[in-house]
Amino acid sequence: MRPKILLVNPPIHDFTAYDYWLKPYGLLRVAGHLRQRADLPLFDYLDRLHPAMTADSPSLRTDRWGRGAFRAEELPIPTPLDNIPRIYRRFGLPRPLFREFLRRRAPFDAVLIQTVMTYWYPGVREALADIRAVAPHARIALGGVYATLCPEHARSLGADLIVAGLDLHPLWDFLEIPDAASPPDQLPFWDGYPQLETGVVKLTEGCPFRCTYCSVPQVYPRFSGDLERGLAEYDHLCRLGVRHIAFYDDALLFRAEQLFLPFLEAVTERQTGVFLHTPNALNARFISPEVARQMVRAGFRTFYLGFESRVDRWQKQTGGKVYPAELENAVRHLLDAGADPGEITAYLLLGHPHAAAQDVETSMHFAHSLGIRVMLSEFSPIPGTPDGESCRQWIDLDEPLWHNKTAFPLIFLGAEKVKRLKDLGLQLNRSLPKPSV
Protein backbone atom coordinates (compact mmCIF):
# COMPACT_ATOMS: atom_id res chain seq x y z
CA MET A 1 0.00 0.00 0.00
CA ARG A 2 1.37 3.40 -1.00
CA PRO A 3 2.11 5.87 1.79
CA LYS A 4 0.09 9.07 2.03
CA ILE A 5 2.35 12.13 2.22
CA LEU A 6 0.73 15.49 2.84
CA LEU A 7 2.28 18.55 1.13
CA VAL A 8 1.77 21.91 2.85
CA ASN A 9 2.65 25.44 1.77
CA PRO A 10 1.85 27.39 4.96
CA PRO A 11 0.25 30.83 5.38
CA ILE A 12 2.36 33.98 5.61
CA HIS A 13 2.49 36.04 8.80
CA ASP A 14 3.94 39.41 7.80
CA PHE A 15 3.30 43.12 7.40
CA THR A 16 2.98 42.79 3.62
CA ALA A 17 2.62 40.03 1.04
CA TYR A 18 1.53 40.04 -2.58
CA ASP A 19 1.32 37.27 -5.12
CA TYR A 20 4.11 37.93 -7.60
CA TRP A 21 3.72 34.42 -9.06
CA LEU A 22 4.47 32.91 -5.64
CA LYS A 23 4.49 29.10 -5.73
CA PRO A 24 6.21 26.46 -3.52
CA TYR A 25 8.51 25.37 -6.32
CA GLY A 26 11.00 23.54 -4.08
CA LEU A 27 8.27 21.53 -2.36
CA LEU A 28 6.74 20.61 -5.72
CA ARG A 29 10.16 19.56 -7.09
CA VAL A 30 10.61 17.20 -4.15
CA ALA A 31 7.07 15.88 -4.52
CA GLY A 32 7.70 15.21 -8.20
CA HIS A 33 10.11 12.45 -7.21
CA LEU A 34 7.35 10.84 -5.14
CA ARG A 35 4.37 10.98 -7.49
CA GLN A 36 4.75 7.32 -8.56
CA ARG A 37 5.51 6.12 -5.03
CA ALA A 38 2.99 7.86 -2.77
CA ASP A 39 -0.40 9.55 -2.60
CA LEU A 40 0.27 13.29 -2.37
CA PRO A 41 -2.58 15.49 -1.14
CA LEU A 42 -1.56 19.14 -1.44
CA PHE A 43 -2.75 22.10 0.62
CA ASP A 44 -1.36 25.42 -0.54
CA TYR A 45 -2.52 28.23 1.74
CA LEU A 46 -1.44 30.72 -0.94
CA ASP A 47 -3.46 29.23 -3.79
CA ARG A 48 -5.63 32.17 -4.85
CA LEU A 49 -7.54 29.96 -7.29
CA HIS A 50 -8.64 27.54 -4.59
CA PRO A 51 -12.44 27.01 -4.87
CA ALA A 52 -12.94 28.23 -1.31
CA MET A 53 -10.93 31.37 -2.05
CA THR A 54 -13.01 32.40 -5.03
CA ALA A 55 -16.22 31.84 -3.09
CA ASP A 56 -14.96 33.45 0.11
CA SER A 57 -13.32 36.53 -1.41
CA PRO A 58 -15.06 37.60 -4.61
CA SER A 59 -13.45 41.05 -4.40
CA LEU A 60 -9.95 39.66 -4.94
CA ARG A 61 -8.76 40.16 -8.49
CA THR A 62 -5.91 38.89 -10.62
CA ASP A 63 -4.24 41.32 -12.99
CA ARG A 64 -3.57 40.53 -16.62
CA TRP A 65 -0.19 38.98 -15.78
CA GLY A 66 -1.47 36.64 -13.06
CA ARG A 67 -0.54 38.72 -10.00
CA GLY A 68 -2.87 39.65 -7.18
CA ALA A 69 -3.54 40.21 -3.49
CA PHE A 70 -3.80 37.39 -0.98
CA ARG A 71 -6.72 37.03 1.38
CA ALA A 72 -5.61 38.74 4.60
CA GLU A 73 -6.71 39.12 8.21
CA GLU A 74 -5.16 41.24 10.94
CA LEU A 75 -3.00 39.61 13.64
CA PRO A 76 -1.37 40.89 16.82
CA ILE A 77 2.19 42.03 16.13
CA PRO A 78 4.67 39.51 17.60
CA THR A 79 6.60 40.82 20.58
CA PRO A 80 9.99 41.46 18.94
CA LEU A 81 8.32 43.70 16.34
CA ASP A 82 5.68 45.39 18.47
CA ASN A 83 7.29 48.82 18.01
CA ILE A 84 6.99 48.65 14.21
CA PRO A 85 4.24 51.10 13.14
CA ARG A 86 2.57 48.79 10.65
CA ILE A 87 -0.39 46.38 10.63
CA TYR A 88 0.63 42.73 10.93
CA ARG A 89 -1.46 40.24 8.98
CA ARG A 90 -2.01 36.61 8.17
CA PHE A 91 -2.08 36.01 4.42
CA GLY A 92 -3.66 32.90 2.91
CA LEU A 93 -6.64 30.60 3.08
CA PRO A 94 -8.67 30.47 6.32
CA ARG A 95 -7.27 28.29 9.09
CA PRO A 96 -10.56 26.34 9.59
CA LEU A 97 -10.37 25.27 5.94
CA PHE A 98 -7.05 23.55 6.58
CA ARG A 99 -8.35 21.88 9.73
CA GLU A 100 -11.33 20.53 7.81
CA PHE A 101 -8.99 19.35 5.02
CA LEU A 102 -6.90 17.50 7.61
CA ARG A 103 -9.94 15.83 9.17
CA ARG A 104 -11.21 14.66 5.79
CA ARG A 105 -7.87 13.42 4.47
CA ALA A 106 -6.19 12.01 7.59
CA PRO A 107 -4.43 9.80 8.50
CA PHE A 108 -1.09 10.68 6.90
CA ASP A 109 2.12 8.72 7.00
CA ALA A 110 4.22 11.85 6.63
CA VAL A 111 4.00 15.59 6.00
CA LEU A 112 6.33 17.77 3.94
CA ILE A 113 6.20 21.49 4.69
CA GLN A 114 8.37 24.38 3.52
CA THR A 115 8.66 28.12 3.63
CA VAL A 116 10.94 30.65 1.99
CA MET A 117 11.46 33.76 4.10
CA THR A 118 13.06 33.06 7.46
CA TYR A 119 10.67 35.45 9.21
CA TRP A 120 7.62 33.59 7.85
CA TYR A 121 8.16 30.79 10.37
CA PRO A 122 5.05 31.72 12.45
CA GLY A 123 2.95 30.42 9.55
CA VAL A 124 4.87 27.13 9.71
CA ARG A 125 4.29 26.95 13.45
CA GLU A 126 0.55 27.50 12.93
CA ALA A 127 0.33 24.71 10.35
CA LEU A 128 2.39 22.33 12.50
CA ALA A 129 0.06 22.86 15.46
CA ASP A 130 -2.99 21.95 13.39
CA ILE A 131 -1.28 18.91 11.89
CA ARG A 132 -0.24 17.63 15.33
CA ALA A 133 -3.79 18.14 16.65
CA VAL A 134 -5.50 16.20 13.86
CA ALA A 135 -2.78 13.75 12.76
CA PRO A 136 -0.53 13.28 15.82
CA HIS A 137 1.20 10.19 14.45
CA ALA A 138 2.27 11.73 11.13
CA ARG A 139 6.00 12.32 10.82
CA ILE A 140 6.79 15.86 9.69
CA ALA A 141 9.75 17.04 7.59
CA LEU A 142 10.46 20.77 7.30
CA GLY A 143 12.60 22.15 4.48
CA GLY A 144 13.10 25.20 2.30
CA VAL A 145 15.20 28.33 2.56
CA TYR A 146 14.22 29.00 6.18
CA ALA A 147 15.32 25.52 7.24
CA THR A 148 18.60 25.97 5.33
CA LEU A 149 19.50 29.41 6.68
CA CYS A 150 18.22 28.91 10.25
CA PRO A 151 18.36 25.14 10.92
CA GLU A 152 18.69 25.45 14.71
CA HIS A 153 15.73 27.77 14.95
CA ALA A 154 13.74 25.52 12.60
CA ARG A 155 14.34 22.57 14.93
CA SER A 156 12.64 24.50 17.73
CA LEU A 157 9.30 24.32 15.88
CA GLY A 158 8.98 20.59 16.54
CA ALA A 159 9.26 18.95 13.13
CA ASP A 160 10.72 15.42 13.12
CA LEU A 161 13.27 16.18 10.39
CA ILE A 162 14.89 19.41 9.23
CA VAL A 163 16.07 19.29 5.62
CA ALA A 164 18.80 21.93 5.45
CA GLY A 165 20.44 22.35 2.07
CA LEU A 166 20.14 20.43 -1.16
CA ASP A 167 20.98 16.90 -0.01
CA LEU A 168 17.67 15.00 0.01
CA HIS A 169 19.04 11.60 1.01
CA PRO A 170 18.07 12.15 4.67
CA LEU A 171 14.54 12.88 3.49
CA TRP A 172 14.31 9.71 1.39
CA ASP A 173 15.55 7.70 4.39
CA PHE A 174 13.04 9.47 6.64
CA LEU A 175 10.21 8.59 4.24
CA GLU A 176 11.59 5.06 3.83
CA ILE A 177 11.64 5.52 0.05
CA PRO A 178 15.33 4.94 -0.72
CA ASP A 179 15.02 5.08 -4.53
CA ALA A 180 13.02 8.32 -4.66
CA ALA A 181 15.80 10.19 -6.44
CA SER A 182 15.72 7.79 -9.39
CA PRO A 183 15.04 8.78 -12.13
CA PRO A 184 16.66 12.10 -11.22
CA ASP A 185 14.67 14.52 -13.41
CA GLN A 186 11.08 14.11 -12.31
CA LEU A 187 8.77 17.01 -13.11
CA PRO A 188 7.42 19.19 -10.29
CA PHE A 189 4.07 18.09 -8.88
CA TRP A 190 1.97 20.84 -10.48
CA ASP A 191 -0.80 18.31 -11.07
CA GLY A 192 -1.62 18.59 -7.35
CA TYR A 193 -3.54 21.83 -8.01
CA PRO A 194 -7.23 21.60 -8.97
CA GLN A 195 -6.84 24.77 -11.06
CA LEU A 196 -3.62 26.31 -12.26
CA GLU A 197 -2.98 29.49 -14.23
CA THR A 198 0.55 30.32 -13.05
CA GLY A 199 3.60 28.10 -12.81
CA VAL A 200 7.35 28.33 -12.28
CA VAL A 201 10.37 27.15 -14.26
CA LYS A 202 14.05 27.14 -13.35
CA LEU A 203 16.76 26.71 -15.94
CA THR A 204 19.56 27.28 -13.45
CA GLU A 205 20.39 27.03 -9.78
CA GLY A 206 22.73 29.27 -7.86
CA CYS A 207 24.59 32.38 -8.95
CA PRO A 208 28.23 33.01 -9.92
CA PHE A 209 28.17 36.42 -8.21
CA ARG A 210 28.68 36.96 -4.50
CA CYS A 211 26.70 40.04 -3.57
CA THR A 212 27.28 40.81 0.08
CA TYR A 213 23.56 41.10 0.89
CA CYS A 214 22.40 37.91 -0.85
CA SER A 215 21.76 34.45 0.63
CA VAL A 216 21.79 32.52 -2.65
CA PRO A 217 25.38 31.19 -2.20
CA GLN A 218 24.34 29.66 1.12
CA VAL A 219 21.33 27.91 -0.42
CA TYR A 220 22.94 26.98 -3.75
CA PRO A 221 26.73 26.81 -3.27
CA ARG A 222 27.50 26.47 -6.97
CA PHE A 223 25.98 27.60 -10.25
CA SER A 224 24.53 24.97 -12.58
CA GLY A 225 21.97 24.71 -15.36
CA ASP A 226 19.90 22.11 -17.17
CA LEU A 227 18.33 23.06 -20.51
CA GLU A 228 16.47 19.76 -21.01
CA ARG A 229 14.90 19.89 -17.57
CA GLY A 230 13.86 23.52 -18.07
CA LEU A 231 12.15 22.72 -21.38
CA ALA A 232 10.46 19.67 -19.89
CA GLU A 233 9.10 21.77 -17.03
CA TYR A 234 7.89 24.42 -19.49
CA ASP A 235 6.13 21.81 -21.64
CA HIS A 236 4.54 20.19 -18.60
CA LEU A 237 3.07 23.51 -17.46
CA CYS A 238 1.77 24.22 -20.96
CA ARG A 239 0.03 20.83 -21.02
CA LEU A 240 -1.67 21.77 -17.75
CA GLY A 241 -3.01 24.94 -19.34
CA VAL A 242 -1.10 27.65 -17.50
CA ARG A 243 -1.19 31.18 -18.90
CA HIS A 244 1.79 32.61 -17.02
CA ILE A 245 5.22 31.18 -16.20
CA ALA A 246 7.63 32.92 -13.84
CA PHE A 247 11.36 32.19 -13.73
CA TYR A 248 12.82 31.74 -10.26
CA ASP A 249 16.43 31.70 -11.46
CA ASP A 250 18.93 33.88 -9.63
CA ALA A 251 21.22 34.17 -12.65
CA LEU A 252 18.94 33.38 -15.59
CA LEU A 253 21.06 35.22 -18.17
CA PHE A 254 24.48 33.90 -17.14
CA ARG A 255 26.05 31.85 -19.93
CA ALA A 256 23.02 32.69 -22.06
CA GLU A 257 24.50 31.18 -25.21
CA GLN A 258 24.57 27.74 -23.52
CA LEU A 259 21.23 27.77 -21.71
CA PHE A 260 18.91 30.72 -22.07
CA LEU A 261 19.17 31.46 -25.79
CA PRO A 262 18.61 27.80 -26.81
CA PHE A 263 15.67 27.74 -24.41
CA LEU A 264 14.19 30.87 -26.00
CA GLU A 265 14.61 29.46 -29.50
CA ALA A 266 12.82 26.25 -28.51
CA VAL A 267 9.99 28.13 -26.78
CA THR A 268 9.51 30.44 -29.76
CA GLU A 269 9.15 27.44 -32.07
CA ARG A 270 6.43 26.00 -29.82
CA GLN A 271 4.21 29.10 -30.18
CA THR A 272 2.28 28.28 -27.01
CA GLY A 273 1.04 31.80 -26.30
CA VAL A 274 2.12 31.56 -22.65
CA PHE A 275 3.34 34.80 -21.05
CA LEU A 276 6.72 34.73 -19.28
CA HIS A 277 7.86 36.80 -16.28
CA THR A 278 11.02 37.54 -14.31
CA PRO A 279 10.22 38.36 -10.64
CA ASN A 280 13.80 37.55 -9.62
CA ALA A 281 16.16 40.30 -10.66
CA LEU A 282 17.68 39.95 -14.11
CA ASN A 283 21.31 40.98 -14.41
CA ALA A 284 21.19 43.91 -16.83
CA ARG A 285 24.82 43.32 -17.79
CA PHE A 286 23.82 40.29 -19.85
CA ILE A 287 20.87 41.80 -21.74
CA SER A 288 22.37 42.13 -25.21
CA PRO A 289 20.31 43.13 -28.28
CA GLU A 290 19.99 39.44 -29.18
CA VAL A 291 18.87 38.39 -25.69
CA ALA A 292 16.31 41.21 -25.61
CA ARG A 293 14.88 40.32 -29.04
CA GLN A 294 14.65 36.64 -28.21
CA MET A 295 13.00 37.28 -24.86
CA VAL A 296 10.27 39.46 -26.35
CA ARG A 297 9.68 36.99 -29.20
CA ALA A 298 9.42 34.07 -26.79
CA GLY A 299 6.70 35.74 -24.73
CA PHE A 300 8.43 37.62 -21.91
CA ARG A 301 6.24 40.51 -20.82
CA THR A 302 7.54 41.72 -17.45
CA PHE A 303 11.19 42.54 -16.86
CA TYR A 304 12.56 43.14 -13.36
CA LEU A 305 16.16 44.36 -13.39
CA GLY A 306 18.47 44.34 -10.39
CA PHE A 307 20.11 47.74 -9.99
CA GLU A 308 20.30 48.71 -6.28
CA SER A 309 22.48 51.80 -6.71
CA ARG A 310 24.04 54.06 -9.33
CA VAL A 311 27.10 54.67 -7.12
CA ASP A 312 30.07 52.76 -8.53
CA ARG A 313 31.88 52.58 -5.21
CA TRP A 314 28.87 51.04 -3.46
CA GLN A 315 28.46 48.53 -6.29
CA LYS A 316 32.10 47.47 -6.04
CA GLN A 317 31.87 47.04 -2.27
CA THR A 318 28.74 44.85 -2.49
CA GLY A 319 29.68 42.61 -5.42
CA GLY A 320 29.71 44.74 -8.56
CA LYS A 321 26.51 43.29 -10.00
CA VAL A 322 25.51 46.05 -12.41
CA TYR A 323 26.61 49.60 -13.12
CA PRO A 324 24.54 52.52 -14.44
CA ALA A 325 25.77 52.28 -18.03
CA GLU A 326 24.89 48.59 -18.06
CA LEU A 327 21.36 49.30 -16.87
CA GLU A 328 21.01 52.04 -19.48
CA ASN A 329 22.16 49.68 -22.25
CA ALA A 330 19.82 46.91 -21.10
CA VAL A 331 16.80 49.22 -21.09
CA ARG A 332 17.65 50.50 -24.57
CA HIS A 333 17.98 46.94 -25.89
CA LEU A 334 14.66 45.90 -24.36
CA LEU A 335 12.84 48.93 -25.75
CA ASP A 336 14.37 48.42 -29.19
CA ALA A 337 13.15 44.82 -29.05
CA GLY A 338 9.57 45.96 -28.39
CA ALA A 339 9.29 45.56 -24.62
CA ASP A 340 6.68 47.75 -22.96
CA PRO A 341 8.53 50.42 -20.92
CA GLY A 342 5.72 50.27 -18.37
CA GLU A 343 6.61 46.63 -17.71
CA ILE A 344 10.34 47.24 -17.13
CA THR A 345 11.17 47.73 -13.46
CA ALA A 346 14.45 48.48 -11.70
CA TYR A 347 14.84 47.10 -8.18
CA LEU A 348 16.63 49.32 -5.65
CA LEU A 349 17.46 48.22 -2.11
CA LEU A 350 15.82 50.23 0.67
CA GLY A 351 17.38 50.17 4.13
CA HIS A 352 20.77 48.69 3.30
CA PRO A 353 23.21 49.24 6.21
CA HIS A 354 25.41 51.32 3.87
CA ALA A 355 22.48 53.39 2.62
CA ALA A 356 24.35 56.70 2.83
CA ALA A 357 26.94 55.51 0.29
CA GLN A 358 24.23 53.85 -1.80
CA ASP A 359 22.40 57.16 -2.41
CA VAL A 360 18.97 55.63 -3.00
CA GLU A 361 17.21 58.83 -3.98
CA THR A 362 19.64 59.77 -6.74
CA SER A 363 19.60 56.16 -7.95
CA MET A 364 15.81 56.24 -8.16
CA HIS A 365 15.91 59.39 -10.28
CA PHE A 366 18.52 57.81 -12.56
CA ALA A 367 16.41 54.70 -13.21
CA HIS A 368 13.33 56.87 -13.76
CA SER A 369 15.24 58.97 -16.30
CA LEU A 370 15.48 55.85 -18.46
CA GLY A 371 11.68 55.79 -18.73
CA ILE A 372 11.14 52.70 -16.56
CA ARG A 373 9.47 51.98 -13.24
CA VAL A 374 11.35 51.85 -9.94
CA MET A 375 10.57 49.45 -7.12
CA LEU A 376 12.09 49.71 -3.67
CA SER A 377 13.11 46.23 -2.53
CA GLU A 378 13.38 46.43 1.26
CA PHE A 379 16.58 45.06 2.76
CA SER A 380 16.35 41.89 4.81
CA PRO A 381 19.36 41.22 7.07
CA ILE A 382 20.19 37.57 6.45
CA PRO A 383 22.48 35.63 8.80
CA GLY A 384 25.63 34.37 7.17
CA THR A 385 25.82 37.22 4.65
CA PRO A 386 28.41 39.97 5.25
CA ASP A 387 25.81 42.74 5.21
CA GLY A 388 23.37 40.78 7.34
CA GLU A 389 26.00 40.02 9.96
CA SER A 390 26.89 43.70 10.17
CA CYS A 391 23.34 44.39 11.40
CA ARG A 392 23.86 42.58 14.70
CA GLN A 393 24.64 45.96 16.24
CA TRP A 394 20.99 46.97 15.71
CA ILE A 395 18.99 43.72 15.93
CA ASP A 396 19.02 40.18 17.30
CA LEU A 397 19.92 38.34 14.11
CA ASP A 398 19.34 34.97 15.80
CA GLU A 399 15.60 35.73 15.99
CA PRO A 400 14.32 35.36 12.40
CA LEU A 401 11.50 37.83 12.96
CA TRP A 402 14.18 40.52 12.94
CA HIS A 403 15.02 39.57 9.35
CA ASN A 404 11.70 41.10 8.31
CA LYS A 405 12.14 43.33 5.28
CA THR A 406 9.52 45.83 6.47
CA ALA A 407 10.99 46.10 9.96
CA PHE A 408 14.70 46.66 9.34
CA PRO A 409 14.46 49.71 7.04
CA LEU A 410 12.13 51.35 9.58
CA ILE A 411 14.57 50.62 12.39
CA PHE A 412 17.62 51.75 10.44
CA LEU A 413 16.28 54.72 8.47
CA GLY A 414 13.24 55.74 10.49
CA ALA A 415 9.61 55.86 9.43
CA GLU A 416 9.79 59.40 8.04
CA LYS A 417 12.62 58.68 5.60
CA VAL A 418 11.12 55.35 4.51
CA LYS A 419 7.82 57.09 3.78
CA ARG A 420 9.54 59.87 1.86
CA LEU A 421 11.42 57.42 -0.36
CA LYS A 422 8.33 55.29 -0.97
CA ASP A 423 6.29 58.38 -1.82
CA LEU A 424 9.02 59.42 -4.24
CA GLY A 425 8.82 56.02 -5.91
CA LEU A 426 5.07 56.37 -6.34
CA GLN A 427 5.47 59.87 -7.70
CA LEU A 428 8.10 58.82 -10.22
CA ASN A 429 6.08 55.84 -11.42
CA ARG A 430 2.89 57.88 -11.78
CA SER A 431 4.71 60.29 -14.07
CA LEU A 432 5.37 57.51 -16.60
CA PRO A 433 2.95 56.45 -19.33
CA LYS A 434 0.75 53.56 -18.24
CA PRO A 435 1.66 50.08 -19.53
CA SER A 436 0.15 49.18 -22.87
CA VAL A 437 -2.95 47.00 -22.78
Side-chain angles (χ1 to χ4, degrees):
M1 185 174 179
R2 302 204 315 175
K4 185 188 290 187
I5 301 174
L6 172 64
L7 312 173
V8 180
N9 188 33
I12 294 171
H13 292 202
D14 201 348
F15 296 102
T16 62
Y18 192 81
D19 186 8
Y20 281 93
W21 309 284
L22 190 59
K23 296 293 182 185
Y25 177 77
L27 177 69
L28 300 176
R29 279 281 302 273
V30 171
H33 292 288
L34 303 170
R35 59 158 48 89
Q36 303 300 329
R37 299 169 173 85
D39 295 327
L40 299 168
L42 168 67
F43 193 93
D44 183 353
Y45 269 100
L46 306 181
D47 179 12
R48 294 188 302 107
L49 297 183
H50 190 284
M53 171 62 90
T54 55
D56 178 60
S57 305
S59 63
L60 296 181
R61 296 290 181 263
T62 294
D63 73 8
R64 62 177 177 156
W65 301 135
R67 301 166 295 197
F70 293 115
R71 176 190 178 276
E73 56 192 280
E74 190 170 341
L75 290 176
I77 299 179
T79 299
L81 305 178
D82 54 11
N83 289 325
I84 302 300
R86 295 290 186 271
I87 297 174
Y88 199 71
R89 293 183 172 92
R90 178 190 179 279
F91 297 91
L93 294 169
R95 189 170 185 177
L97 190 68
F98 182 52
R99 291 170 172 168
E100 177 57 28
F101 177 90
L102 291 172
R103 284 190 287 269
R104 285 189 290 105
R105 304 299 294 268
F108 307 101
D109 297 287
V111 181
L112 306 185
I113 185 169
Q114 64 94 60
T115 197
V116 179
M117 300 301 183
T118 57
Y119 50 90
W120 286 353
Y121 77 81
V124 176
R125 186 169 54 196
E126 173 195 312
L128 289 178
D130 289 339
I131 294 166
R132 293 296 192 200
V134 177
H137 302 296
R139 297 173 299 147
I140 302 174
L142 169 59
V145 175
Y146 160 61
T148 298
L149 296 178
C150 304
E152 291 304 318
H153 190 275
R155 290 186 183 95
S156 72
L157 299 189
D160 300 295
L161 175 70
I162 300 301
V163 182
L166 303 178
D167 182 8
L168 296 180
H169 288 95
L171 177 63
W172 307 143
D173 293 341
F174 174 80
L175 297 175
E176 299 177 353
I177 306 178
D179 59 343
S182 178
D185 295 320
Q186 292 286 347
L187 296 169
F189 188 62
W190 295 108
D191 26 326
Y193 287 92
Q195 184 180 355
L196 191 67
E197 291 187 0
T198 297
V200 173
V201 164
K202 285 188 75 172
L203 276 179
T204 64
E205 290 185 342
C207 180
F209 296 93
R210 292 295 182 267
C211 297
T212 56
Y213 45 81
C214 182
S215 66
V216 169
Q218 296 181 72
V219 180
Y220 301 99
R222 65 184 186 88
F223 176 82
S224 63
D226 191 325
L227 176 61
E228 287 189 18
R229 189 189 74 196
L231 283 170
E233 291 187 6
Y234 175 90
D235 290 338
H236 181 52
L237 287 168
C238 290
R239 287 193 295 269
L240 292 173
V242 303
R243 300 178 60 242
H244 302 279
I245 293 177
F247 286 76
Y248 276 13
D249 303 65
D250 297 294
L252 180 63
L253 306 184
F254 187 66
R255 297 178 182 168
E257 66 284 353
Q258 299 175 26
L259 294 166
F260 192 49
L261 287 174
F263 177 88
L264 294 178
E265 292 172 5
V267 166
T268 301
E269 291 175 358
R270 284 159 167 75
Q271 297 183 334
T272 60
V274 172
F275 297 117
L276 308 178
H277 308 281
T278 61
N280 284 16
L282 294 172
N283 191 317
R285 179 177 300 163
F286 301 115
I287 300 180
S288 65
E290 181 184 9
V291 167
R293 283 194 302 269
Q294 293 271 35
M295 289 183 76
V296 174
R297 286 180 58 209
F300 278 88
R301 291 297 177 265
T302 63
F303 305 85
Y304 291 84
L305 311 178
F307 181 46
E308 321 310 353
S309 173
R310 67 161 299 171
V311 180
D312 286 358
R313 182 179 177 185
W314 187 91
Q315 289 283 1
K316 291 175 182 176
Q317 289 176 340
T318 59
K321 183 168 65 176
V322 61
Y323 294 92
E326 293 170 326
L327 179 70
E328 188 172 4
N329 290 336
V331 171
R332 184 176 68 253
H333 298 328
L334 288 170
L335 296 177
D336 289 346
D340 186 340
E343 301 295 357
I344 304 174
T345 302
Y347 285 132
L348 294 102
L349 275 175
L350 173 66
H352 187 274
H354 305 306
Q358 180 189 6
D359 197 353
V360 176
E361 189 168 341
T362 302
S363 300
M364 293 169 69
H365 282 287
F366 173 78
H368 173 261
S369 73
L370 303 178
I372 63 174
R373 299 174 68 253
V374 296
M375 179 178 288
L376 292 173
S377 179
E378 293 152 306
F379 175 76
S380 172
I382 302 168
T385 65
D387 294 345
E389 291 294 330
S390 74
C391 296
R392 289 188 182 274
Q393 59 187 301
W394 298 293
I395 60 171
D396 177 9
L397 203 62
D398 297 324
E399 167 50 69
L401 288 173
W402 283 116
H403 308 165
N404 189 286
K405 66 179 180 59
T406 299
F408 186 78
L410 289 168
I411 294 167
F412 184 65
L413 297 177
E416 183 178 344
K417 185 168 185 178
V418 168
K419 183 179 186 303
R420 182 173 61 81
L421 290 170
K422 288 190 172 184
D423 287 346
L424 174 62
L426 291 173
Q427 176 187 341
L428 293 175
N429 289 340
R430 286 185 185 127
S431 70
L432 297 172
K434 291 185 179 180
S436 304
V437 178

